[in-house]
Amino acid sequence: MGNRFQVKDRFADGAQYIDGQLRSGTSGQSHTVVDPATGDEVLTYELAGTADVDEAVAAAKRAFPGWSGATPGERSDALHRLAAVLAEQAEDFAYAESLQCGKPIKLSTEFDVPGTIDNTAFFAGAARHLQGQAAAEYSGDHTSYVRREAIGVVGSIAPWNYPLQMAAWKILPAIAAGNTIVLKPAELTPLTSLMFAQAAKEAGLPDGVINIVTGAGREAGEHLVGHPDVVMTSFTGSTAVGKRVAEIATATVKRLHLELGGKAPFLVFDDADLEAAAHGAVAASLINTGQDCTAATRAYVQRPLHDAFVSRVAELMESVRLGDPFAPTTDLGPLVSHAQRDRVAGFVERARAYATVVTGGEIPAGDLAGGAYYRPTLIAGAAQDSEVVQSEIFGPVLVVLPFDTDDEGIALANDTPYGLAASAWSRDLYRANRATREIKAGCVWVNDHIPIISEMPHGGYKASGFGKDMSTYSFEEYTQVKHVMYDNTAVAEKDWHRTIFGDRP
């Protein structure tokens, strides 16, 4: 990386971005962003309190009439400028993302940042296509059409695993549709959300359209969700916290969008390309150090391929290079925190009582001992109802189980509360197509696992939540649909009036 900005200088005025300005929080509590690769302090800042949330919502409310009243073309132009600013600052964004999260720089540079730029460019175009149903005379005597209107101030909460991309996924469809937003990023990883809001100002978006409040979930987050001037909440995070968000939001009859946990199955039929499936499983289980709600976590492998799959995946996992996130050769960085690493290690240690840890399952020593590192881990022999199969671990851990019949494999794939993502591996078109129909998940890949694109929706089934991020489908979350109906007859005494009063001639 080249000219790395100084984080403490960049955010010397605080880690709240309200009405176009950085400022300090007023909760009286501070928080330290830590580099998970070293344990070193990156930034200590004052957390947002309820008063900061109130100010941010008020700023968004003031900005709403002007922004929602802008033409689709004007909003589109602003987002195109934002995409250009993000591209100009791509190196700084990649550096900040890797610094606060521990992501390998090649992941930040080749996935997180370009994905966010592409998403911004997509919504710049989509802003011009907020269309309703074509006008027509459905009743015979009236012309009907559908308007899509912005709904108001959106209060969103984003997680720590993909801070930049999740900020974009929350902000972009909301503002492309004409809404204004207050986003609460995770306290652990606020840097790139704040930078995104600053980039929007540089691109000419009006103050108040995007506001960032960085505070604790129980104080700032719950106050944002319950705020009477917030008309919609979008939350990405754990299912347990999602339930709490839903309780608060429904108390004030808010629109609600939830993208929650996942436990993605990786279903390998006996005619699959073994080498492709093994490589795909390693990449899909280890992306972002496994801290991905769509990551492959449960590999179900038809019995004829099972042993060879376990052997090959273990071999590939052992070749994965852990190291400094800023080294170009590093494949796997630390988890986001030592607490998260210890949580993952706890799952693996408990699993030793009922399953086999084929490879990994340890905290590395030596130069990496000070960071939140954990070796890529493969577990075999676990039962379907065991903790490592049913619970979201959120770390670099893959569990492999065998199955015999196609019916059994699909049933096992569906046998968790979650339904966010899945993949099926087969050379047989009909077999794979059946899996895409019958696996209950918001996304099913065939012979791949993980790729996402701006044009296609992302969202889950069952305990993984509801609603869609990305794509024009996301406008279903962020717009109000209004039916407008014109009388075409110019008749004062309409025939249907006689069903209410008077007699027919």
Side-chain angles (χ1 to χ4, degrees), residues 43-313:
L43 175 72
T44 297
Y45 65 93
E46 298 299 314
L47 290 165
T50 56
D52 303 304
V53 173
D54 289 341
E55 288 191 39
V57 172
K61 187 176 181 180
R62 287 193 300 271
F64 176 73
W67 183 248
S68 62
T71 67
E74 289 168 337
R75 291 197 294 269
S76 175
D77 288 346
L79 291 177
H80 277 300
R81 294 193 301 270
L82 174 56
V85 173
L86 295 173
E88 290 169 2
Q89 299 177 9
E91 184 175 299
D92 282 352
F93 274 97
Y95 167 69
E97 195 77 338
S98 287
L99 183 65
Q100 67 182 351
C101 299
K103 296 174 188 282
I105 194 63
K106 65 179 182 179
L107 183 65
S108 295
T109 301
E110 299 178 30
F111 181 71
D112 295 77
V113 174
T116 300
I117 295 168
D118 182 75
N119 212 231
T120 307
F122 170 80
F123 278 105
R128 290 179 177 267
H129 297 282
L130 279 167
Q131 297 173 343
Q133 195 168 1
E137 287 67 49
Y138 294 99
S139 77
D141 291 337
H142 306 81
T143 296
S144 288
Y145 68 89
V146 170
R147 290 175 55 89
R148 282 192 179 275
E149 297 180 348
I151 56 177
V153 177
V154 177
S156 293
I157 300 175
W160 48 256
N161 58 333
Y162 290 103
L164 176 59
Q165 291 205 80
M166 294 298 99
W169 286 16
K170 300 300 181 195
I171 292 169
L172 291 169
I175 66 173
N179 303 290
T180 54
I181 188 167
V182 179
L183 174 75
K184 192 197 89 65
E187 307 96 291
L188 290 173
T189 54
L191 304 183
T192 47
S193 299
L194 293 163
M195 291 167 64
F196 189 92
Q198 290 177 307
K201 179 165 184 168
E202 290 183 45
L205 273 76
D207 291 345
V209 172
I210 300 172
N211 305 274
I212 310 292
V213 289
T214 308
R218 289 194 177 277
E219 184 173 2
E222 292 196 3
H223 190 65
L224 177 62
V225 174
H227 199 289
D229 288 332
V230 169
V231 298
M232 175 191 164
T233 290
S234 177
F235 170 81
T236 296
S238 71
T239 297
V241 178
K243 290 177 180 178
R244 175 61 179 156
V245 169
E247 289 174 0
I248 299 169
T250 53
T252 50
V253 199
K254 284 178 172 47
R255 184 175 296 196
L256 187 61
H257 169 216
L258 298 175
E259 199 264 88
L260 306 177
K263 191 71 178 174
F266 188 98
L267 187 61
V268 183
F269 294 102
D270 58 13
D271 66 330
D273 181 325
L274 176 61
E275 195 67 8
H279 278 81
V282 172
S285 62
L286 300 184
I287 184 172
N288 204 37
T289 318
Q291 299 166 125
D292 186 314
C293 48
T294 63
T297 59
R298 301 177 289 137
Y300 296 102
V301 185
Q302 208 149 22
R303 206 170 294 275
L305 288 185
H306 176 270
D307 291 352
F309 179 88
V310 170
S311 177
R312 185 61 174 136
V313 168

